[in-house]
Amino acid sequence: MELLAVQLKQNGHCTIEDLARMHQVSPRTIARDIALMREQGMQIDADRGRGGGVRLDRRWGVGRINLDYAEAVDLLISIAVAEQMNSPIFLAGLGSVRRQLAASFSPEKRDRIDALKSRILIGVTASTYVQASFNSPSERVVRTLHQAFVDLETLDIDYEREDGEASKRKIEPHYMLLKYPVWYVVAWDHLKDAARTFRCDRINAARRSGITFRLRPQRYFAPLQDGDAPPM
């Protein structure tokens, strides 16, 4: 019913049949849920006649937001990144949001989230030269990299350097580095047996190996440059 409320508020006007198809239930189920929503006091209006639809008054709030563990972790980490960037805009309420989200987790899970946040590094803004060649990484690569980073799992990647040379690498994604707006994965490269950074938008493919690794201290990796540059 909360999902229905969000849809009715965002879309403004939906038919019972449209909602039934979206949620893969019968029109009768949707009609019953809408009746229950009205009983709870939601201002849902219906258009009479053939093809009529239903809508939720836009002034009506949609209530609480339900996030699963992974979504809440992502949101907490995004807030931490925004705070680390020290932008004065839109930060006033983030501390309160972060505390409320963190309070919903057990102490053990909060420790895990803090450990994840400590592995996200904020660097200087990317140069205009780097930004000129930047492209958003593919959604599939982002999802795979994200999960391997969280799970401390080795990745097999297809990587393309700035000069166009392509290679296959097996990497351990230890840290993520943001040089706005460009993300880098700070990794241990099995091919070179050394620390390397890889621009995420130059990773053409990524495959999880199922093999986990032990996190190495940050001193092994800092400071690093893009691609094949070794620690300085």
Side-chain angles (χ1 to χ4, degrees), residues 85-98:
M85 291 180 70
N86 270 332
S87 171
I89 308 298
F90 308 125
L91 288 182
L94 284 186
S96 174
V97 174
R98 172 173 45 76

Side-chain angles (χ1 to χ4, degrees), residues 21-35:
R21 282 194 295 271
M22 289 179 196
H23 295 279
Q24 298 182 344
V25 297
S26 68
R28 183 176 179 181
T29 296
I30 295 294
R32 182 191 63 207
D33 288 343
I34 287 176

Side-chain angles (χ1 to χ4, degrees), residues 99-162:
R99 287 190 293 272
Q100 291 181 62
L101 281 170
S104 67
F105 295 122
S106 67
E108 179 184 358
K109 287 183 176 178
R110 284 200 295 272
D111 290 342
R112 289 173 56 192
I113 294 168
D114 287 341
L116 272 177
K117 289 192 295 186
S118 70
R119 294 169 57 205
I120 297 175
L121 314 175
I122 307 298
V124 297
T125 301
S127 68
T128 54
Y129 175 79
V130 170
Q131 292 189 45
S133 63
F134 170 71
N135 293 297
S136 295
S138 76
E139 184 177 344
R140 178 176 295 181
V141 166
V142 169
R143 285 200 306 266
T144 304
L145 177 57
H146 173 279
Q147 199 58 54
F149 174 74
V150 171
D151 294 342
L152 294 174
E153 184 176 339
T154 303
L155 276 177
D156 294 305
I157 65 170
D158 298 343
Y159 190 71
E160 184 176 339
R161 296 195 324 187
E162 182 182 4

Side-chain angles (χ1 to χ4, degrees), residues 4 6-20 22 30 34 45-47 51-56:
L4 282 176
V6 170
Q7 283 183 302
L8 290 174
K9 187 169 183 178
Q10 289 179 338
N11 298 334
H13 181 280
C14 295
T15 67
I16 298 293
E17 288 74 17
D18 287 340
L19 293 169
M22 289 179 196
I30 295 294
I34 287 176
D45 300 320
D47 297 327
V54 290
R55 66 170 80 80
L56 177 64

Side-chain angles (χ1 to χ4, degrees), residues 31-83:
R32 182 191 63 207
D33 288 343
I34 287 176
L36 288 172
M37 291 161 69
R38 284 196 177 107
E39 289 178 9
Q40 293 175 0
M42 291 189 187
Q43 187 62 48
I44 299 177
D45 300 320
D47 297 327
R48 296 182 179 276
R50 187 179 182 86
V54 290
R55 66 170 80 80
L56 177 64
D57 190 324
R58 288 187 178 274
R59 295 169 295 179
W60 183 270
V62 296
R64 66 183 184 276
I65 299 175
N66 290 322
L67 301 175
D68 62 25
Y69 175 70
E71 290 169 335
V73 167
D74 285 350
L75 183 53
L76 274 172
I77 291 175
S78 298
I79 291 172
V81 169
E83 290 176 331

Side-chain angles (χ1 to χ4, degrees), residues 199-215:
R199 258 178 60 172
C200 292
D201 60 317
R202 292 200 183 130
I203 299 176
N204 295 323
R207 298 165 295 278
R208 297 174 63 181
S209 68
I211 302 171
T212 58
F213 61 88
R214 180 172 295 180
L215 188 66

